[in-house]
């Protein structure tokens, strides 16, 4: 996953969790978290940088 793709996934996760006008979709939140965590593991365990 490129840094741009990671940034997009982090932004989408942020929107799902924090935008009051966006309906919460738990399945999508967990799927995004799984993708992000796989990226972190692939980078030697370094966590993604905060937005």
């Amino acid at each position: 996953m490129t840094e741009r793709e990671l940034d997009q996934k982090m932004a989408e996760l942020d929107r799902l969790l924090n935008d009051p006008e966006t309906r919460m979709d738990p399945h999508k939140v967990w799927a995004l978290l799984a993708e992000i965590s796989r990226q972190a593991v692939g980078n030697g365990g370094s966590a993604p940088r905060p937005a």
Side-chain angles (χ1 to χ4, degrees), residues 8-21:
Q8 289 173 335
K9 291 186 186 304
M10 293 290 287
E12 185 176 359
L13 180 61
D14 182 62
R15 181 183 58 80
L16 286 169
L17 294 174
N18 297 311
D19 184 354
E21 294 182 13

Side-chain angles (χ1 to χ4, degrees), residues 29-41:
V29 170
W30 284 111
L32 285 166
L33 286 170
E35 289 181 52
I36 292 166
S37 67
R38 277 193 300 270
Q39 177 68 19
V41 170

